Structures are given as structure tokens and as C-alpha cells.
Amino acid sequence: MRPRSVMLVSAALAALLSGCGASAVERGSVAQALAVAPGDAFEASFTDWSRVNEGDLASAVREGLRDDSLTRSTIAPQSLVWEQVFGFSPQSLDWELTARSASGAILAFGWSSALSDDEVQAGLEQAGYERDGDRWELGADTALPASLSGVMAVVELDPGRRMLVAADTPEAFTEGSLLDRRGVAEVAGSLEGTPRSALFQDGPATCASGGVSGRGTQVEEQGTEAARRAGRLKEPVWSVRAVDGERFFVAAAFDSPATATDQARVRERLATGPFIGRAGLVEDVLRLTRVATRESVAMLAFTRESTGPSMMSTTGPLLLAGC
């Protein structure tokens, strides 16, 4: 019997690719990663490990955290421990996805052809996993830090697709895939190529991470006034923000093309002027290069200062990507 999450990947990808003219993103690792996220997820973070620098792991991770490409990674902060415990470097991975849902949390990754299936299974055994049918369960005697062991209690492998899906609890392996959710495939398909890092969020999560609520009275007042001048911000169905080198991209799916057009204009106005909750002006960090809509999706593309503040962190307001 094949693991449930493996069957879900096949079904979700088949549904995504059933339309003609699928984009490179829809055929690639972003879609493969999103397909293993549980259907009730409200947030999912994608990291492209295939373009992380080779050579010294510590230096590569420091650079990735500095340029925002590894900001969303769960593995990166524990990369040296990961290499020691599993016996292979995260630089051998193609991609990583972490997702949070009402049922639990998952951490999934795809590995490159440079890493064999046997090496992955040997790594699980070395880390303290024991095989139980189609699944591997983490034993009590493991050197994994809590930040990893907590989300990797149960593991499913799909060697044919060179893919591993781990969860904090078996209940996190839910029926359905995130790609079944309205708006997720739309915003994923709007990406131009595979980003180094991407954050997918449903409407409430988008507002909570990119809005001004709870940031203090002064920030809330500044944000409210800025939104009043620009026009009313509306909660999206799903959104994505992504970085790829000096490029930063935001897309949000709404309930209609008319709303998407309106919100593209509102968010364009918020892409200049005071950077709410941050020092200076938005254009000191981000320079808007394109505003567009595609059906019910509003899209904004920027060039960015790669050494500037993080665009992928959810610790500060980012009205042009929030609500």
C-alpha cells in the first residue's frame, strides 16, 4: 500500500497539469512541493535548495539568510546539526516545504540525483528512525534538535519521486492537497520561474503577517492613514510573496477580476512613500517594475536591495503584500 501523501501528490499534480499550457512553475518543484502540503494548510513556505552555494555549508547558509533566500527554511538554522545527524548536507536537496494547518505541521523535501535513495534511508536510521510499514517513526534516542524533531516525528518516503514528507503527528497527513484550494494554483502559476524563497498564505494569514494590527498604536495609525489614501485594502483568498536574487514578487488572488484590478491599483500606491513600520521610504528598498492582473490575481514585481531588510519575514508590516 502506498503512503496516503504519495497518492495525494499524484492526484494534485495531475489536476494541476490537466490544463493546457502549464507554466514552468506549474511543472516544477513549486507545484511538487505544494502538492504535498495538507489540504487544510493556511501557510506554506517554499525554499529552493538547488541554487544554494556549494562548498562550505556554514558560509552558504549565512549568505542565504542574509540575502533572504533561506529566511523561510526550517532546515537552514539547524543545517550543521542536520548534516551531522543525517550524514548528508541540505545542499543535496532540491527543495524544502514547511506548512502549517489545523491538523498539524509538515516538513517536506525533494532531494537531488546526487543523493541516493539508500543514503536517505541510511540517514533516517542514523538519526534514530525506525521503519513501521510505509512510515518511519522517530525514536526517543535522537540527536535532532527540538525544532526539527518536533515537526519530523513521522516520515513518509517516495524514492521514485526522490521526496520525503515528515509531520509532527500522523493526523497531519490529511486527505486533500493544498493545490486543491481555490487561489493557490492561481498565485503559484503567476510566479515567473522558480523563486529562491516563497511564502504562500490564505487571507487571514496574509493580513496577520503583512498588516499593521498588533504592531503598536503609532504603526497602526500610520498604516490606517496610508491605506485610506491609497484605497481600501481587501483580504485576498490566497497570496504569495517571493524573492529571487534582486527580484521581489507579490501576487494575490481575489474573488473576482474586478477586485483584483482594484487591489492592484491600491497596492501600487502603497509601493511608494513612507515604509510603514520600517525606516525610510519603500523605494529605498523596493523599486516597482511591473503591475499587472491575470483573471482574479493582482501582481506586483520589484527589484530590491538584496542587503536590505527581509521581505520574507512575517515579523513586520508589509502593506503592499498584506491587508
Side-chain angles (χ1 to χ4, degrees), residues 20 58 84 102 167 183 197 212 214 247 283 299-300 306 317:
C20 60
Q84 180 180 5
S197 178
V212 295
R247 295 188 300 166
E283 50 266 42
M299 301 172 286
L300 285 79
S306 59

Side-chain angles (χ1 to χ4, degrees), residues 25 183-191 200 238-240 249 251-253 294 297-298:
V25 169
V184 175
E186 292 178 311
V187 295
S190 70
L191 294 170
F200 297 84
W238 272 86
S239 73
V240 64
F249 182 79
R294 188 172 72 182
V297 179

